[in-house]
Amino acid sequence: MSSYNNSARFNEARRVAIFGGTHGNEMSGVTLVNLWVKNSAEIQRKRVETKPFITNPKAVEKCTRYVDTDLNRAFSPENLSAPEGDDLPYEVQRAQEINRIFGPKGSPEAYDVIFDLHNTTSNMGCTLILESSKDHFNLQMMNYIKKAIAPASCLVLLNEHPLLKYSTSRSIAKHPVGLEVGPQPQGVLRSNIFEAMRVILKHALDFIELFNEGMEFPPCTVEVFWVSERIDYPRDANGNIIAMVHPNLQDCDWEPLNPGDPMFQTFDGKTIHYQGPGTVYPTFINEAAYYEKQQAFVITRRETLVASAIRKA
């Protein structure tokens, strides 16, 4: 292939992990990783060592999101540097162990890529989660996946909002990739969701193999949905929820929400309208796991990012 003078150069992605069970009741990732732990032939590629790994085995055993605290929020510097001990929440202990195996976070020794597999109860379809708009390796990978599965859809959610970003399990890696596929109820396995996740992982690993073998990827553009705000359910003075997601919004992830559109419906039938200044794109609409996080959905804005050409260093 031709060379690109302004190519970003990256080292080979030789060590790759696939995390399942970060939330123990999200069954596609749990099932795929357990399958690959028994026989990893499907996920191995030339010049790549791919390690499937169950991140929260106690939660998987109980088929619950977590035991003590959300593992996918536990990889903060404070947790990872806390003195070890049995008095720590189970997921904090587990985060420290995962950091020892796949990190340390932010170090040259950290794994090159971690894919963290999730299911959502929201009608989001296939969604890749990007943690930095400046990660040109991941942008190129996501562009490759989007083209490979077309005409099927795979959208990209970018969460780098300083107040809304959180310390994910995948954040240990140099190139963290989240994958949300839904809708799927908690504790349930649906064949179409399972297969969609499997196909995306195949193409992601193919991309890494091609990159490691020396393929150069030209500049490209990637449409992303940038997380800009978290919207809670309407509540009374005591903090009790007093409204539901409006039927016109339910299951309409990624569809435009315009000023004046119905957003919530109170239990006595009144409509609460969106009052923002312009069109936004909500997602994670009515996600079951986010009631405890006081989140009815997140608002995103569509943006187009330019990824530089990349090649192996």
Side-chain angles (χ1 to χ4, degrees):
M1 294 183 67
S2 60
S3 295
Y4 301 93
N5 293 332
N6 296 320
S7 293
R9 293 172 177 264
F10 295 94
N11 293 327
E12 288 188 34
R14 299 298 295 272
R15 294 192 303 161
V16 174
I18 302 174
F19 286 176
T22 297
H23 296 133
N25 56 5
E26 297 177 4
M27 299 308 296
S28 297
V30 170
T31 308
L32 282 168
V33 167
N34 279 330
L35 177 72
W36 293 330
V37 166
K38 292 176 183 174
N39 182 357
S40 67
E42 179 183 345
I43 57 172
Q44 297 305 328
R45 298 292 187 275
K46 286 178 288 186
R47 308 177 73 92
V48 186
E49 173 202 336
T50 307
K51 182 178 179 63
F53 189 79
I54 292 291
T55 42
N56 197 336
K58 283 190 177 180
V60 170
E61 183 181 351
K62 295 176 180 292
C63 196
T64 187
R65 183 174 174 88
Y66 56 78
V67 177
D68 292 327
T69 190
D70 194 330
L71 181 61
N72 212 33
R73 309 292 189 276
F75 289 78
S76 64
E78 296 76 18
N79 282 343
L80 296 181
S81 62
E84 296 179 23
D86 292 340
D87 56 328
L88 290 175
Y90 168 71
E91 279 80 8
V92 174
Q93 297 180 51
R94 190 66 179 159
Q96 292 181 346
E97 182 178 0
I98 291 166
N99 190 50
R100 284 193 295 272
I101 299 170
F102 297 97
K105 182 175 179 175
S107 75
E109 292 76 35
Y111 262 57
D112 298 299
V113 180
I114 293 176
F115 297 102
D116 191 19
L117 308 184
H118 291 268
N119 291 122
T120 174
T121 64
S122 302
N123 189 30
M124 291 174 63
C126 296
T127 305
L128 290 158
I129 302 180
L130 180 66
E131 298 206 354
S132 170
S133 58
K134 297 177 176 60
D135 188 340
H136 294 273
F137 182 88
N138 273 356
L139 282 168
Q140 286 281 2
M141 183 198 300
M142 292 175 183
N143 180 61
Y144 179 91
I145 293 168
K146 286 166 69 72
K147 288 185 173 180
I149 71 167
S153 172
C154 186
L155 302 178
V156 177
L157 181 70
L158 169 61
N159 188 3
E160 59 180 0
H161 191 292
L163 301 179
L164 301 179
K165 191 170 182 174
Y166 44 87
S167 303
T168 61
S169 56
R170 59 188 173 268
S171 65
I172 293 172
K174 297 181 180 78
H175 304 289
V177 180
L179 177 56
E180 287 275 0
V181 187
Q184 180 169 278
Q186 297 171 344
V188 171
L189 191 62
R190 290 184 53 177
S191 60
N192 60 322
I193 304 297
F194 175 89
E195 287 300 330
M197 182 175 281
R198 192 177 199 166
V199 167
I200 287 173
L201 258 293
K202 173 204 176 303
H203 292 302
L205 294 169
D206 289 348
F207 168 87
I208 293 171
E209 181 180 55
L210 290 170
F211 174 81
N212 286 353
E213 290 183 330
M215 180 178 286
E216 297 180 34
F217 293 85
C220 67
T221 58
V222 182
E223 182 183 73
V224 303
F225 291 80
W226 186 77
V227 175
S228 61
E229 190 179 353
R230 184 172 59 203
I231 303 296
D232 190 13
Y233 296 91
R235 297 175 185 269
D236 64 18
N238 297 318
N240 300 308
I241 293 173
I242 58 171
M244 308 164 281
V245 170
H246 194 277
N248 287 17
L249 180 59
Q250 181 63 52
D251 298 327
C252 295
D253 294 71
W254 310 116
E255 295 183 19
L257 179 67
N258 301 301
D261 284 350
M263 187 167 61
F264 294 107
Q265 186 177 73
T266 63
F267 299 150
D268 57 3
K270 296 185 177 66
T271 296
I272 298 172
H273 300 272
Y274 176 59
Q275 301 294 331
T279 300
V280 293
Y281 299 85
T283 195
F284 281 113
I285 297 172
N286 208 12
E287 161 62 48
Y290 287 171
Y291 277 75
E292 71 174 28
K293 301 184 190 305
Q294 299 187 334
Q295 177 180 306
F297 54 90
V298 296
I299 280 176
T300 73
R301 304 183 188 280
R302 285 172 75 163
E303 296 187 14
T304 299
L305 300 181
V306 177
S308 67
I310 66 167
R311 56 177 169 170
K312 187 169 67 169

